[in-house]
Amino acid sequence: MDPGGDVKTVPPATARPASRHRPLWRRANIPAGAGAALWLAIVLIPLYILVSATLRTREDYLERGAFAWPTSPSVESYRRVLAGDFLTYLLNTVVVTAACAALVVVLAVTVAYSVVRTRNEASRRVFQLFLLGLAIPSQAVIIPVYLIITELNFYDTLAAVILPTAAFALPVGVLILVGTMRDIDEETYESMALDGAGPLRTLLNLTVPMSRAGIATVGVFSALQAWNGFLFPFLLTQSRDTRVLTLGLYDYVGEFRVDVPALLAAVVLSVVPIFAAYLLARRQLVNGLMGVGGR
């Protein structure tokens, strides 16, 4: 009751939404569920064929087809692959991937830092030049790249694969790191300058730690590009000693003929290392692509 003597009416409790009392089948989004199930089947069926075929013999695969379940699992396909040149291909791929990732990260960090901290016409033109590299596909310049590699006497070496692969991954790395470094507050740079820090100290002690997510993104992206590269290894190398996994898998098609289990075993073994690296760096990769900047 209020001071004037009037009685206040208490509003009734808000009724629960009717949707809570509806059956589950009426609340479910059936079209979305059907689409998700279809997409899951599209993803899982090839994975099932890939893994199950590696655990079967060649004769069993030919007799029962690709979808049959391995009744007597065997790792003989993996043994045959490892007994060949697979480890050489794997080592070459690891060297190419690590060198490309390191080269791209070092160059992209320095270029991006220069573009962000040097506000003049020259730095803007440099950034535009790197952005232009995004529009040039590697297939369009493969002949000039081949001529340059041969003139440098790098043909049929791992350097012939590392240098052009890193060059074509560099524009994306610069673009990501420029956006990441621009998120760092100007006051933070000014405080470092007041403490007497020079450009190199500022880069190492401030910019790099605060750009960890972007740097991880660039490293993972460059590693994926190098690991999955086929065009440059195919055209710029020749001997078996310089082959990488993508060429090794291509070579297994002729070596094993119709031995599909051995070929798919080589595929599985080649996917495992880069997939493990992706799992370890997936959080930094997502943060860097979202522009979090590692802060």
Side-chain angles (χ1 to χ4, degrees):
M1 181 179 295
D2 62 1
D6 297 331
V7 178
K8 288 187 175 181
T9 303
V10 179
T14 304
R16 292 184 178 182
S19 59
R20 295 186 180 181
H21 300 282
R22 288 186 300 176
L24 180 61
W25 65 271
R26 296 188 61 183
R27 286 184 282 145
N29 191 337
I30 296 178
L38 177 62
W39 177 251
L40 186 63
I42 293 174
V43 173
L44 291 182
I45 289 176
L47 290 177
Y48 163 75
I49 296 175
L50 175 65
V51 176
S52 65
T54 62
L55 301 176
R56 300 164 59 189
T57 63
R58 174 184 173 184
E59 293 75 14
D60 181 67
Y61 183 87
L62 293 176
E63 290 177 2
R64 302 172 58 208
F67 291 92
W69 182 260
T71 55
S72 300
S74 172
V75 294
E76 182 61 29
S77 299
Y78 293 97
R79 291 196 187 100
R80 287 200 300 274
V81 172
L82 294 175
D85 295 328
F86 181 85
L87 294 180
T88 301
Y89 302 154
L90 177 63
L91 179 60
N92 291 339
T93 305
V94 170
V95 172
V96 169
T97 300
C100 285
L103 191 60
V104 171
V105 166
V106 171
L107 293 178
V109 166
T110 54
V111 171
Y113 179 77
S114 177
V115 169
V116 172
R117 299 301 300 158
T118 308
R119 297 182 178 89
N120 53 31
E121 185 66 19
S123 64
R124 189 170 67 88
R125 294 297 182 185
V126 168
F127 185 50
Q128 291 176 349
L129 182 63
F130 276 96
L131 293 181
L132 181 62
L134 296 173
I136 302 176
S138 58
Q139 296 85 352
V141 294
I142 188 60
I143 294 178
V145 169
Y146 175 83
L147 295 176
I148 293 173
I149 291 298
T150 53
E151 287 295 326
L152 294 174
N153 294 323
F154 286 159
Y155 181 78
D156 201 23
T157 64
L158 294 183
V161 181
I162 293 171
L163 294 178
T165 303
F168 280 92
L170 190 57
V172 176
V174 171
L175 178 63
I176 293 174
L177 288 180
V178 165
T180 300
M181 293 180 184
R182 281 177 176 171
D183 289 340
I184 302 175
D185 296 332
E186 184 66 26
E187 292 79 6
T188 311
Y189 285 112
E190 293 177 356
S191 63
M192 289 289 294
L194 292 176
D195 290 339
L200 181 59
R201 181 183 166 191
T202 302
L203 172 63
L204 297 178
N205 294 345
L206 172 65
T207 307
V208 170
M210 298 190 70
S211 304
R212 291 190 306 271
I215 293 174
T217 301
V218 173
V220 173
F221 172 80
S222 305
L224 290 174
Q225 291 288 99
W227 191 274
N228 297 322
F230 177 80
L231 181 62
F232 292 133
F234 180 70
L235 295 177
L236 302 177
T237 60
Q238 185 176 8
S239 63
R240 299 182 69 88
D241 294 336
T242 56
R243 285 184 180 176
V244 295
L245 282 175
T246 49
L247 282 185
L249 298 178
Y250 177 79
D251 184 58
Y252 284 140
V253 174
E255 182 176 350
F256 293 110
R257 302 288 180 182
V258 292
D259 195 353
V260 179
L263 172 62
L264 296 184
V267 172
V268 171
L269 291 175
S270 65
V271 168
V272 169
I274 195 65
F275 183 69
Y278 171 78
L279 290 180
L280 293 175
R282 67 186 185 279
R283 180 173 300 177
Q284 289 81 1
L285 178 63
V286 172
N287 289 342
L289 293 176
M290 292 176 62
V292 174
R295 292 182 291 174

